[in-house]
Every structure is written in structure tokens, then in C-alpha cells.
Amino acid sequence: MAIDPTAFLPPPVVSAGPWAWMRRNLFTDWRQTALTLIVLYAVIRGVPPLLGWLFVDATWQGTRDDCVANGGACWAFVSARWGQFIYGFYPVEERWRVNVTFAVLAVSVVPLVLPMVRGKAWIIGFLLTLYPVLAFCLLYGGVLGLPVVETARWGGFMLTLVVAITGIVGSLPIGILLALGRRSDMPAIRTFCTLFIELFRAVPLITVLFMASVMLPLFLPSGFSLDKLLRALIGVAVFNGALMAEVVRGGLQAIPKGQYEAATAAGMGYWRMMGFVILPQALRLVIPGLVNTWVAIIKDTTLVLIIGLFDLLGIVQAGIADANWLSASVTKTGYVFAAMGFWILCFSLSRYSMYLERRLGLGASR
Amino acid sequence: MIAMRGVNKWFGQMRVLADINLTVAEGEKLVICGPSGSGKSTLIRCINQLEHHQMGDIVVNGVKVDAELKTLDLVRREIGMVFQSFNLYPHMTVLQNLMLAQIWVQGRKRRDAEKVARHYLDRVHIPEQADKFPAQLSGGQQQRVAIARALCTKPKILLFDEPTSALDPEMIKEVLDVMTELATEGMTMICVTHEMGFARNVANRVIFMDAGRIVEQGSPAEFFSNPQSDRAKLFLSQVRLN
């Protein structure tokens, strides 16, 4: 049999080289050319001044007067206030406790992100049970001879992380339970969950935080008081749990009836069916929605400012107002710094979720 | 092994099962056939209570089953089920699909469960697919995995709900071959199927249903050569006897 010579030809090369690429992608016709030129103009006008402000004219050391003289970003301000931005009003000699808390977290999270590590269930178990206790003991103190550091002294990036992480970790189980409850066959549970979700979804987070900090103590028995931060944490977790519930419910609705039937026919009860068959599939489907909510939680931590807690943005704002540093360049630098802090958190979460989606999607695609 | 007495079921106003009386002995192979919408699937789905009946009694292995039964999951563990659309768990490998119920329903050790799973994968002739995901298999292979999954919990009864209806013609044979092998080993089987060849060769008894009723039943020889009711005659004249 004769071999068809064309079977071994490589796919035809349309054109090669940077010039051909630019012709094809940037200067296809007059409209593309016009857009390319406009964007190019904006980049040329925008980027060099920005880089100049950020680096060339920036002041790395010195005082406000040096910053005003140089005209660029005032990194001197950030480095002078660095400790406060990260730890808030946490006592300097106790800051190692914060470092240890987050170092332990980082060390436990890294193996979770790597696909080849085994025994992830144990690490997750540690993070969800022992770690919160450990973190509380370290950060708050009062045990093992550690002096108590009142939560009123917590602040800055550390407080942002505490609120964001409890919000993220707390809202998912609350959301899952509410979503399951809303689809329950039992009318009492269904009604309760639906009302709960609709109530918290229809109210701004600020209202929830105000309620938690001002109204809640009125309903508690006298002599019994909850810490202000704790109340805020509960408020954030419950509010976002209600949002999360609707994301999870969307995933539950996408699971075919046959999956429920196969699990039921195998004799699995409700919780086993949900835990092993339905939820793993449903949560995988809604990763983009989950991460969306998580990113929103990180950004919403800034709202704790209104009940008198100083998160990263709050403490930066307080620093800007300091009479020793008051100037336009310090103000700009402060906000840029705070924005970068949030951007790093949110962007890394978003990248991780994309990676997770790709990896989990490998076998499950139908 | 299974006894149904005066079983009735309605979907809304529509009566989908009407006065069903049926007993199945251990080791019996039943084929249920009939036009679509005649209640065949609903009938076998009442046996493991995926559908709840509203009147009459169903007794499985000496236990009366209904929606109120607290130990329904215990009864279901004795009954394996194979579905038209396979219903494998898409997020798990073939091996994990086979091990899940063994470990979490029957409390078997992981190592034993894997041994059992590999044994039944051998039985359905696809031991080499153990680590693949369901989406990577052909329809016939998926259905054989589903049969192996149903067997792993060592059920006393196997229910088949149109197991070959979603398959390409060339894959039907490989699934029917596995089912025939099971039948020769003495498993109690109830199959809803349109495969009349399978019914003729394997079944002890053929049940013909129409409009929610059992219209006719008998040995395959009687049923195929000498159907009594007009409805069965019409049905048989219209299905291809292969």
C-alpha cells in the first residue's frame, strides 16, 4: 500500500517572526491599528511617570520634608510605620507570637498546595481543630505564662488576616449547612434556612457589623459580654455564610438526580451521600463562585473600621493623619501600600483557585 | 425473597402502578418488559424504595419496606441496582467508585475493599481500567463498572433498570454477556429491558406490563410463542426478536 506523503507534513505555517505576528495581531485593519496606537500612546504617557513616582523620585529614608522635596512616593513613611501596619498596637516585645502564629499557618498550608504531598486530610484536620486553639492561645495569651494582649490592641495586616481567614473558614461550613437546609424535605428547617439566608443577603455587611457591635450586647444577659472582635468575626462569618449558601445551592442543583439515586440505592444515608458523592461534585463546580465570595470577604474586612477596629486600611489611614507626616505624597503612598497589601492577598487566592480548578477538572470532565 | 401485594402508586393524579401482586423466589431471574410508560421502572424502583408506593405491601427479605421504615438503608444494602445512565461517581476513579460503599456503608477495611473491588473488576473483564475516571471509559465499560459496583457490596438481589438502553449496539453485547454470566451463577435478578433475546435465553419468567398493571406472566417459552393477551401480541409483533 502506498503511503500518503501528506500524512507526515507539519501543519502549514501561516507566517512566522515578530513582524508577521504584529501584522496579524496588532495592525490587522485600520480599526485595530487605531486601537493599537491609542493603547501605545497611553502606555508611553502613563508608565514612565508611574515608575518615576514609585521608584526614581521616591524617598526611601528620611522625614516628611525629604518626601515633599523629592516629590515621589514616600516609602520612608511606610518603613517608619511598618511595625504598626503589620501588627497594629500589638506590644513590640510580644510580636513574635504573631509571627509564630502565621509561620505555623504558612508551613501547614504549603503542603496543601503541592499535589504530591500525601496525608492532606491530617493537615486539614489540624488546621480546623488544633490550629484555631493554638492561634488563639498565642495571639490572645493568658495561658502558659503568655501575657494577655487585648483584642483592642490587634490591628493592621495581622487583623486583616485574622478577620479574613476566620471569615473564609467559618463561612463555608455555615454556607453548606444553610444550602442543604434550604433544600431539605423538612419544612421547619427549610423555612428557617430560607428566612435566614434572605435576611442576611438583603442587608449590608455594615448593618450586620453595627448590629453585632451595638445591638447584640443589649440582648445578652447582663454581666455576660462578648469581645468586640469576636462579635465582628461572628458577624462576618454568618453574613458571608448566607452568601455562600446560595453559591453552594447553585452547585447542588447542577448534580444529576442519578447521583442521588446511586448513592441512596447503595444504602448510604443522607450525610454520607452528601459528604462523599454530592458535595465533592457540587463544590468543584462552584469554585469560581466560592473564590469570588472569599475575595469579597478579604476586601470587606476593611469595614471593621466602622466599629472601631483598625485593619490594614484603617491603620494606614490613621498613620496618614499623623501631624508629623501629613502631606499629599504620604497620603498617596499610604493608599497605594494598602491597595498592594489587599491585591497580593486576593490575587494569590484567585491564582490558586484557577490552578485548583484545572487540577480537579482533569478526571471529572463529562 | 420479594413479595408485593396489592401495590399501588400515583404520580399526582396518574396511577402508575395498579394492584401489583408479584413474588420473586431466591435465584429467580425475572425480565419485565412492556411499552414505555407502563410502570416497569417504577415497579423495580419501589423494591428498594427509590420511589415510595402509597398502597399495598412490599416485603423484601422478610422486612416490610415503606417510606417510614427507619432501617431502609439496611434493606437497600442487600439490593444492588444498575441504572440506565450508569450513574457512576464522576469525581472518583473506577476503583474508588467500587470501594466507596464497601468502606463507608459496610465498614470494610480499605485493603479488603480494594481486594473485593479488583475481584469484581476481573469478573466484568476490565481489571486494567481500575485507575481511570468514568469519563475516560466507553459506555459499555462504564455499565460494566456499574455492575461491578453493585456486586461489591455482595447483594442478595440485583435490580437492572434498562441497563443497555443508553448504549451503542456493539456495546450492548458486552454488558449482556456479563449479565448472563451472573445469571448462571444463581444471582436473583430483576431486569427491566427491551432485549428480548436476553429474556428468551436467561429469564425464568417474563412479566409483561401495560398501563401500570401486570397483564401477563409466564416462562419465556410460553410468553414468546403463545402470548395470551392482545396487548402482548401487539407488543411482541412490534419489537424485533433478536
Side-chain angles (χ1 to χ4, degrees), chain A residues 151-165:
Chain A
T151 54
R153 308 190 66 174
W154 301 14
F157 196 63
M158 163 218 167
L159 184 71
T160 295
L161 279 180
V162 168
V163 178
I165 292 171

Side-chain angles (χ1 to χ4, degrees), chain A residues 199-200 207-226 231:
Chain A
L199 175 70
F200 276 95
T207 323
V208 175
L209 288 175
F210 263 132
M211 296 259 286
S213 94
V214 182
M215 302 278 289
L216 195 63
L218 299 179
F219 296 112
L220 291 174
S222 62
F224 182 84
S225 79
L226 274 175
R231 277 177 276 152

Side-chain angles (χ1 to χ4, degrees), chain B residues 32-164:
Chain B
I32 304 179
C33 61
S36 54
S38 59
K40 312 178 294 278
S41 291
T42 312
L43 175 72
I44 67 164
R45 287 156 63 89
C46 279
I47 295 173
N48 64 357
Q49 291 286 297
L50 284 184
E51 306 281 359
H52 303 300
H53 58 293
Q54 287 129 342
M55 264 175 68
D57 289 344
I58 302 178
V59 178
V60 180
N61 289 325
V63 182
K64 190 171 154 235
V65 296
D66 53 37
E68 265 79 59
L69 184 66
K70 291 276 179 290
T71 54
L72 204 49
D73 284 334
L74 295 179
V75 179
R76 283 174 175 148
R77 287 173 203 184
E78 309 278 278
I79 309 173
M81 188 158 193
V82 177
F83 299 87
Q84 178 176 355
S85 48
F86 326 137
N87 295 346
L88 296 176
Y89 311 130
H91 58 301
M92 297 180 179
T93 64
V94 166
L95 204 58
Q96 288 167 334
N97 263 278
L98 267 58
M99 287 163 64
L100 184 69
Q102 293 189 64
I103 293 173
W104 293 102
V105 176
Q106 301 193 307
R108 222 170 264 167
K109 285 210 180 67
R110 187 164 287 273
R111 183 180 307 195
D112 300 338
E114 185 174 336
K115 211 178 280 174
V116 173
R118 291 199 185 274
H119 169 72
Y120 283 110
L121 273 185
D122 272 341
R123 286 274 303 274
V124 298
H125 314 302
I126 37 174
E128 71 284 0
Q129 312 287 1
D131 295 318
K132 291 207 179 146
F133 284 94
Q136 294 167 302
L137 305 182
S138 74
Q141 288 171 329
Q142 288 191 49
Q143 192 60 298
R144 284 187 282 157
V145 171
I147 294 174
R149 181 176 68 176
L151 288 171
C152 274
T153 47
K154 309 227 163 95
K156 298 203 173 89
I157 303 162
L158 266 187
L159 306 176
F160 292 85
D161 189 0
E162 305 204 21
T164 56

Side-chain angles (χ1 to χ4, degrees), chain A residues 258-259 261 264 272 276 281 365, chain B residues 45 87-88 90-91 104 135:
Chain A
Q259 294 290 313
E261 291 181 347
T264 308
R272 286 185 191 133
F276 293 117
Q281 296 183 59
S365 59
Chain B
R45 287 156 63 89
N87 295 346
L88 296 176
H91 58 301
W104 293 102

